[in-house]
Amino acid sequence: MRQSLVEAGVDGAALEKLGGRFQDGVMAHVLARLVSSVGAERLTREIEASTGRISELVRAIKEYTYMDQAPEQEIDVHRGLESTLTMLKFRLKRGVEVKREFDRNLPRILARGSELNQVWTNLIDNAVDAMGGKGDLIIRTSRELDFVLVEIIDNGPGIPDAVKPHLFEPFFTTKGVGEGTGIGLDTVYRIVRAHRGEVSFESQPGRTSFQVRLPLKRP
């Protein structure tokens, strides 16, 4: 009871003042009623917060999958990145600091948004794994000639030289069974190429950058 009253901002002085207004027998009922009200208010706040989180997740799922929308359409790359970050929030909150370096003047591009979100999911998930779940994740967008450039950068240990030539090979993975998203870099490569784009990477200890280039105008 005492903890509930403290959370409500009722201190010892307030209780003494309140006690002076009621007889001892009545005071017990007053405190019980007060504690009950505090508990109900706290439960209401928790329900409101949970409802807000659920609404946010539902919205993110709809945006992430482009539910009830045409498979191919003009999309905002930043919205896709943001919905992907929301979907991966459980992976990021354990110690990953996300830094957004967005060029907000980028035009929309014609693309299959749900497929590109699979690309962002895999690249971000790989970056988090590379950092061991803790570190700095930079997501940068810019315009490069006739392309939109999206960079996913982590400050992990880097990709071993022996692994680099095999990254985009089908079925190649450095993860154990049951780990990761199940979407290999081969799939990332095929999705980007299907959009007439390019995917590349640069890696050294302390900095790995995957770069996805997507054409502003598709033939």
Side-chain angles (χ1 to χ4, degrees), residues 115-166:
E115 292 184 7
L116 289 184
N117 286 347
Q118 293 178 49
V119 171
W120 315 140
T121 297
N122 190 62
L123 295 180
I124 292 172
D125 189 68
N126 283 349
V128 173
D129 280 341
M131 296 186 293
K134 294 181 180 180
D136 294 330
L137 176 68
I138 299 175
I139 303 179
R140 179 182 297 152
T141 64
S142 60
R143 180 168 181 168
E144 187 180 82
L145 300 176
D146 293 328
F147 291 85
V148 166
L149 172 61
V150 178
E151 297 176 87
I152 310 296
I153 306 167
D154 70 73
N155 64 345
I159 301 171
D161 290 338
V163 171
K164 291 178 180 178
H166 307 288

Side-chain angles (χ1 to χ4, degrees), residues 196-211:
R196 304 293 192 273
E198 301 174 358
V199 57
S200 59
F201 68 92
E202 300 172 353
S203 184
Q204 60 188 26
R207 188 183 190 278
T208 295
S209 171
F210 276 85
Q211 300 126 19

Side-chain angles (χ1 to χ4, degrees), residues 19-213:
R21 291 187 163 190
F22 300 97
Q23 298 178 357
D24 291 343
V26 177
M27 185 63 180
H29 293 291
V30 170
L31 290 178
R33 184 66 177 271
L34 181 58
V35 169
S36 177
S37 298
V38 169
E41 182 180 352
R42 183 171 55 193
L43 180 59
T44 300
R45 289 199 302 268
E46 291 176 355
I47 291 174
E48 288 176 347
S50 298
T51 302
R53 288 193 294 269
I54 292 171
S55 297
E56 180 187 13
L57 184 58
V58 170
R59 176 189 57 76
I61 290 173
K62 287 183 176 181
E63 289 187 358
Y64 182 84
T65 60
Y66 284 78
M67 187 181 298
D68 302 326
Q69 299 184 46
E72 186 173 75
Q73 59 179 289
E74 287 192 347
I75 66 165
D76 181 345
V77 170
H78 298 127
R79 288 189 64 179
L81 289 166
E82 290 291 0
S83 63
T84 301
L85 288 171
T86 300
M87 296 293 289
L88 292 176
K89 185 177 291 186
F90 72 100
R91 293 274 281 142
L92 304 173
K93 67 181 181 181
R94 301 170 187 170
V96 176
E97 182 178 351
V98 179
K99 299 179 180 179
R100 298 165 174 81
E101 297 180 2
F102 291 171
D103 179 357
R104 295 293 183 179
N105 295 319
L106 286 180
R108 300 167 74 90
I109 62 172
L110 184 65
R112 292 183 288 278
S114 61
E115 292 184 7
L116 289 184
N117 286 347
Q118 293 178 49
V119 171
W120 315 140
T121 297
N122 190 62
L123 295 180
I124 292 172
D125 189 68
N126 283 349
V128 173
D129 280 341
M131 296 186 293
K134 294 181 180 180
D136 294 330
L137 176 68
I138 299 175
I139 303 179
R140 179 182 297 152
T141 64
S142 60
R143 180 168 181 168
E144 187 180 82
L145 300 176
D146 293 328
F147 291 85
V148 166
L149 172 61
V150 178
E151 297 176 87
I152 310 296
I153 306 167
D154 70 73
N155 64 345
I159 301 171
D161 290 338
V163 171
K164 291 178 180 178
H166 307 288
L167 276 185
F168 297 114
E169 293 178 0
F171 310 113
F172 178 80
T173 181
T174 59
K175 298 180 181 180
V177 177
E179 297 179 358
T181 60
I183 308 172
L185 287 173
D186 167 59
T187 302
V188 168
Y189 179 82
R190 287 190 285 108
I191 290 174
V192 174
R193 292 297 295 170
H195 283 78
R196 304 293 192 273
E198 301 174 358
V199 57
S200 59
F201 68 92
E202 300 172 353
S203 184
Q204 60 188 26
R207 188 183 190 278
T208 295
S209 171
F210 276 85
Q211 300 126 19
V212 175
R213 292 171 174 82

